[in-house]
Amino acid sequence: MSFSLFSRDMSSRDMFSDLERLRRELQQTFGGGPSIRGLARGGFPALNIGSTPQAIEIFAYAPGLDPASIEVNLERGTLTVAGERVSALPEGDEKAVVHINERFAGRFRRAVSLPDGIDPEAVSADYREGVLHVSVKRLAEAQPRRIAVQ
Amino acid sequence: MNDTTAVATKTASAAPTPAESALLPPVDVFEDATGITLYADLPGVPKDKLHLEIDADTLTIEGEAQLDLPGDLEASHAEITVPRYRRVFTLSRELDTEKVSAEMHQGVLKLRLPKAAHAQPRKIEVRG
């Protein structure tokens, strides 16, 4: 593990992003080991994952995509989000000068290992304001059921 | 293209306090003969939560991401930890700040900053 905070060029970075990364690195070091299918940080799109008693909610921050081109797959407990983002920079225009090129371009794929007890048939996905929201329902098994007496 | 000390002092007295941390959105900036085009990734920011400001030669892009989260949601993994984006640029003089146009589509902001007419390239004819 390395603390990259001090080796960075601070003038081109938002200080809070650096502090935030430091905080995460510290958490990673002292907060116990990650799972074998742990999620690597970074990359495109950024992911936020949360859960409720009823469902697992995954948010992928993937702006500027055609919703129809996003591939969301659920196979053997692993959810993958894939697609392609086309560069906005002009190509073949000799007179255009690129000053900053930071936005992701190209094909992407990220995978999320889901916990047991989810219902692979009850998955919904929507894409709004550049955020893909995938909701995976948990199986009803754990919920209390009334059994009719014959 | 960094925010200078002067800019930082100015914005500190305005609405965003230093305690309000914000993410630095990635941008693409390119220039052609007639102006500069900027793209910024602001996923989750609806049009009405986008704040663009040009004050003298300072362009400020700010946005607040909004998500409809279930009330009992328990976060287990978060890469986007602050629902706010902010980035400041210093503009150059030949850009016509009166004619800046902006559009927002699926979380991507596109800004067009045209050059003032006098700053656009002209072909000078050589006589004789």
Side-chain angles (χ1 to χ4, degrees):
Chain A
M1 191 198 100
S2 68
F3 290 105
S4 45
L5 179 66
F6 303 105
S7 59
R8 290 260 183 177
D9 175 12
M10 291 300 283
S11 66
S12 65
R13 290 273 153 184
D14 183 308
M15 194 176 68
F16 293 110
S17 320
D18 280 325
L19 288 173
E20 174 55 27
R21 198 180 51 247
L22 180 68
R23 188 190 68 76
R24 291 199 308 240
E25 285 179 352
L26 285 170
Q27 193 180 47
Q28 182 77 37
T29 311
F30 302 112
S35 125
I36 189 79
R37 289 202 183 85
L39 200 51
R41 285 185 181 276
F44 183 91
L47 295 177
N48 277 13
I49 301 162
S51 61
T52 66
Q54 298 81 35
I56 310 292
E57 312 284 351
I58 297 114
F59 296 90
Y61 294 78
L65 300 179
D66 170 10
S69 75
I70 307 172
E71 299 157 36
V72 180
N73 286 300
L74 178 59
E75 203 184 334
R76 278 175 272 126
T78 300
L79 179 87
T80 55
V81 176
E84 182 168 14
R85 193 160 85 150
V86 183
S87 172
L89 297 170
E91 273 173 58
D93 184 353
E94 284 175 15
K95 283 178 184 155
V97 181
V98 176
H99 293 294
I100 307 179
N101 178 6
E102 296 171 342
R103 295 171 65 238
F104 175 88
R107 286 203 62 83
F108 62 86
R109 172 181 294 270
R110 288 202 72 178
V112 178
S113 181
L114 298 173
D116 294 336
I118 53 122
D119 184 354
E121 302 302 318
V123 185
S124 66
D126 70 85
Y127 184 68
R128 251 184 299 162
E129 266 120 29
V131 181
L132 172 73
H133 175 199
V134 182
S135 184
V136 186
K137 293 265 181 299
R138 292 182 196 271
L139 286 170
E141 285 171 355
Q143 295 184 12
R145 268 176 302 173
R146 182 176 174 161
I147 292 127
V149 179
Q150 300 289 316
Chain B
M1 290 233 204
N2 298 307
D3 35 347
T4 60
T5 320
V7 170
T9 329
K10 191 163 58 189
T11 49
S13 60
T17 63
E20 267 190 313
S21 63
L23 299 170
L24 196 67
V27 298
D28 283 350
V29 176
F30 59 90
E31 180 172 3
D32 55 33
T34 56
I36 283 180
T37 307
L38 178 149
Y39 287 90
D41 279 353
L42 303 163
V45 179
K47 218 160 93 180
D48 59 326
K49 291 285 174 187
L50 174 72
H51 179 70
L52 294 171
E53 196 181 281
I54 296 178
D55 183 5
D57 63 346
T58 302
L59 165 71
T60 306
I61 300 169
E62 273 178 301
E64 212 168 298
Q66 284 196 317
L67 294 176
D68 299 325
L69 299 175
D72 51 354
L73 187 78
E74 206 174 294
S76 57
H77 173 94
E79 294 170 19
I80 300 288
T81 49
V82 185
R84 210 171 295 112
Y85 304 91
R86 179 160 61 239
R87 195 146 180 186
V88 179
F89 293 98
T90 303
L91 302 177
S92 61
R93 203 167 287 168
E94 81 273 19
L95 298 171
D96 188 349
T97 53
E98 300 291 310
K99 289 190 182 139
V100 174
S101 61
E103 53 188 272
M104 191 77 176
H105 183 65
Q106 291 292 20
V108 177
L109 166 72
K110 181 186 179 184
L111 265 185
R112 176 72 185 164
L113 304 127
K115 289 179 189 174
H118 66 81
Q120 294 195 12
R122 269 172 303 166
K123 186 161 174 146
I124 292 136
E125 228 168 280
V126 182
R127 283 184 291 181

